[in-house]
């Protein structure tokens, strides 16, 4: 669907200081329980009432125990009231014991917060293949209520190799009520379209029908989180969870509601802001890359072409080296699997046209290089003349530090 930026500026307010607990009735916190050396590694999020829940999970065939448990929870009555999440250990490829540990996390958190077990989602992120030190986590859960609740601590607790906390929040009017949508996310490496090593938790006080909520999330994820890449890897633990507790007291939203598309826009704005933050914070990254394709024959073609550009290690390396090497961009377009007229495409980096109608264009290389050196966000535009469809994808440059980080990830 894509976001209409003009409509957003007119009708959707981005809250600079907003976060996952800005929507009514949500609270969060985090602490250090010992999975990592010093940093926060256990976080929790809860609503004062059960919330309609929607989720999208990793496409990796190997799925971690917390994903299985969360799926089971949501299936019961499509509601979630609380989320318990740890970092530092993915609880993936851990067999029956790992599954039992995920169930224990759900059980103890539900008991601590006086919730139904099936109203608890479980999430983990970190090293794959090691059993959770479950007693440390259960001790941490026991500390909830004894430490000060803090959204910032929740945002810290979900991080792994991230260098920054990631949050976003918007407000918009629906049915005469001001509703709020907030979110927090983690992700830096193993990021690739079709879900990645990323977690995103989104809350809203809007009243939304559960089936409609699931449909909305799937649509928006395809336009945002599934349009980013860092390194081409898709992990075992990825999840986007959306909770709507209805405390804004609007008339229940469905796809037939007059304000339905407006709600979708608000949700898409939050997810796009978080997705861009993840791409920008790619492991070792110094620059965000935005690849926009216009004039494609279909939206599917446009998405494939844009993803191919941001997924190219040669393009990513060229951006790191501030080298305006349009040949690498054209090459990535050519192997995207999309059929197009190769003599009718143009390529721009920033405001500079490098390739016009299938041939090199005249440009001042030093000017383009200066643009790439001076900007932290590099825009690549690909113009076709095949139709009216377009798409945007986001990625980051490939640096020496990416190799350093991942060569020593477990040490």
């Amino acid at each position: 669907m894509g976001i209409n930026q003009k409509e957003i500026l007119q009708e959707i307010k981005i809250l600079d200081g907003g976060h996952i607990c800005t929507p009514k009735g949500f609270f969060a916190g985090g602490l250090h329980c010992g999975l990592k050396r010093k940093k926060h590694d256990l976080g929790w999020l809860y609503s004062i009432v059960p919330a309609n829940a929607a989720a999208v999970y990793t496409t990796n065939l190997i799925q971690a125990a917390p994903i299985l448990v969360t799926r089971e929870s949501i299936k019961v009555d499509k509601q979630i009231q609380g989320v318990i999440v740890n970092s530092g250990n993915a609880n993936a490829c851990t067999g029956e014991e790992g599954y039992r540990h995920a169930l224990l996390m759900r059980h103890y958190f539900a008991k601590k917060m006086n919730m139904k077990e099936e109203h608890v989602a479980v999430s983990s992120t970190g090293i794959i293949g090691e059993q959770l030190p479950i007693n440390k986590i259960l001790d941490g859960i026991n500390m909830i209520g004894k430490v000060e609740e803090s959204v910032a601590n929740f945002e810290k607790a979900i991080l792994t190799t991230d260098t920054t906390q990631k949050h976003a929040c918007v407000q918009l009017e629906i049915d005469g009520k001001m509703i709020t949508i907030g979110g927090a996310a983690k992700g830096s490496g193993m990021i690739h379209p079709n879900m990645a090593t990323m977690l995103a938790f989104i809350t809203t006080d809007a009243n939304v029908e559960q089936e409609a909520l699931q449909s909305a999330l799937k649509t928006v994820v395809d336009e945002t989180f599934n349009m980013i890449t860092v390194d081409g890897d898709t992990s075992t633990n990825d999840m986007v969870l959306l909770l709507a507790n209805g405390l804004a007291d609007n008339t229940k939203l469905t796809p037939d509601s007059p304000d339905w598309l407006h709600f979708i826009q608000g949700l898409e704005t939050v997810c796009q802001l978080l997705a861009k933050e993840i791409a920008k914070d790619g492991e070792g990254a110094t620059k965000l890359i935005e690849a926009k394709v216009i004039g494609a024959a279909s939206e599917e073609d446009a998405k494939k072409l844009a993803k191919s550009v941001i997924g190219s290690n040669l393009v990513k390396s060229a951006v790191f080296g501030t080298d305006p090497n349009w040949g690498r961009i054209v090459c990535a377009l050519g192997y995207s699997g999309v059929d197009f007229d190769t003599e009718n495409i143009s390529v721009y980096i920033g405001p500079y046209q490098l390739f016009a109608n299938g041939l090199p264009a005249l440009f001042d290389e030093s000017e383009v290089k200066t643009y790439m050196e001076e900007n932290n966000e590099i825009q690549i535009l690909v113009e076709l003349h095949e139709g009216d469809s377009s798409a945007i994808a986001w990625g980051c440059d490939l640096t020496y530090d990416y190799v350093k980080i991942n060569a020593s990830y477990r040490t």
Side-chain angles (χ1 to χ4, degrees), residues 95-386:
E96 288 297 322
E97 185 176 0
Y99 178 71
R100 184 175 63 84
H101 287 163
L103 288 175
L104 282 171
M105 288 176 67
R106 182 175 74 171
H107 171 76
Y108 275 82
F109 184 60
K111 186 177 179 181
K112 181 70 178 181
M113 307 303 290
N114 195 27
M115 301 174 183
K116 294 180 180 180
E117 283 195 36
E118 60 268 25
H119 283 175
V120 172
V122 181
S123 183
S124 301
T125 183
I127 294 173
I128 293 171
E130 295 183 3
Q131 293 293 345
L132 278 174
I134 190 64
N135 289 332
K136 291 182 179 181
I137 290 180
L138 300 185
D139 288 344
I141 291 173
N142 189 51
M143 289 299 295
I144 297 173
K146 301 176 184 178
V147 296
E148 182 181 358
E149 286 193 324
S150 163
V151 175
N153 286 343
F154 174 81
E155 293 173 355
K156 293 174 185 175
I158 65 177
L159 304 181
T160 49
T161 57
D162 308 61
T163 63
T164 61
Q165 295 162 230
K166 303 169 179 68
H167 53 256
C169 188
V170 303
Q171 285 185 330
L172 57 153
E173 187 175 314
I174 285 181
D175 187 36
K177 309 287 186 179
M178 186 62 68
I179 74 137
T180 308
I181 306 171
K186 65 82 55 178
S188 187
M190 290 186 80
I191 303 295
H192 192 54
N194 299 321
M195 297 298 294
T197 253
M198 52 154 286
L199 299 175
F201 305 98
I202 303 164
T203 59
T204 180
D205 48 23
N207 184 8
V208 189
E209 180 188 70
Q210 193 278 329
E211 287 185 6
L213 195 71
Q214 182 65 49
S215 175
L217 183 63
K218 178 63 170 66
T219 297
V220 167
V221 164
D222 283 345
E223 300 289 341
T224 57
F225 294 116
N226 281 349
M227 294 300 291
I228 60 175
T229 190
V230 169
D231 50 18
D233 276 311
T234 298
S235 187
T236 55
N237 291 59
D238 321 318
M239 177 173 66
V240 180
L241 179 66
L242 170 59
L243 305 180
N245 66 14
L247 293 182
D249 202 30
N250 59 286
T251 301
K252 183 174 286 186
L253 285 167
T254 72
D256 295 326
S257 301
D259 289 321
W260 179 245
L261 290 181
H262 194 200
F263 173 75
I264 293 284
Q265 283 186 318
L267 179 62
E268 189 171 354
T269 302
V270 169
C271 291
Q272 186 184 100
L273 290 169
L274 292 174
K276 290 176 70 174
E277 285 299 308
I278 290 172
K280 188 176 183 178
D281 193 32
E283 289 172 340
T286 64
K287 297 182 186 295
L288 175 71
I289 306 171
E290 178 179 281
K292 182 175 183 179
V293 174
I294 62 174
S298 67
E299 184 177 358
E300 181 182 0
D301 283 356
K303 285 182 175 180
K304 285 183 179 179
L305 290 161
K307 288 179 181 180
S308 189
V309 171
I310 61 164
S312 165
N313 284 336
L314 291 180
V315 172
K316 291 154 66 67
S317 299
V319 171
F320 173 60
T322 64
D323 176 15
N325 189 338
W326 57 263
R328 293 182 174 181
I329 299 170
V330 172
C331 181
L333 296 171
Y335 62 64
S336 66
V338 175
D339 187 22
F340 59 88
D341 185 352
T342 59
E343 295 182 0
N344 208 17
I345 64 171
S346 298
V347 174
Y348 299 76
I349 293 182
Y352 304 99
Q353 186 173 29
L354 279 59
F355 193 73
N357 299 319
L359 293 170
L362 293 175
F363 64 94
D364 187 327
E365 186 162 335
S366 64
E367 284 188 18
V368 187
K369 187 172 180 64
T370 298
Y371 161 82
M372 297 176 75
E373 290 172 343
E374 294 180 350
N375 288 277
N376 293 326
E377 297 187 8
I378 305 301
Q379 296 180 331
I380 297 173
L381 173 65
V382 176
E383 184 178 15
L384 308 174
H385 295 87
E386 305 283 336

Side-chain angles (χ1 to χ4, degrees), residues 12-70:
I12 297 175
K13 181 180 180 181
I14 298 174
L15 302 182
D16 289 337
H19 46 68
I20 198 169
C21 291
T22 304
K24 295 176 183 177
F26 288 97
F27 299 88
L31 51 78
H32 172 68
C33 73
L35 302 186
K36 297 190 289 194
R37 289 178 184 174
K38 294 181 180 180
K39 297 179 180 180
H40 285 62
D41 48 21
L42 185 69
W44 61 91
L45 168 70
Y46 67 96
S47 169
I48 60 174
V49 296
N52 283 345
V56 177
Y57 309 96
T58 179
T59 57
N60 197 314
L61 288 177
I62 299 173
Q63 300 196 348
I67 294 286
L68 303 180
V69 170
T70 297

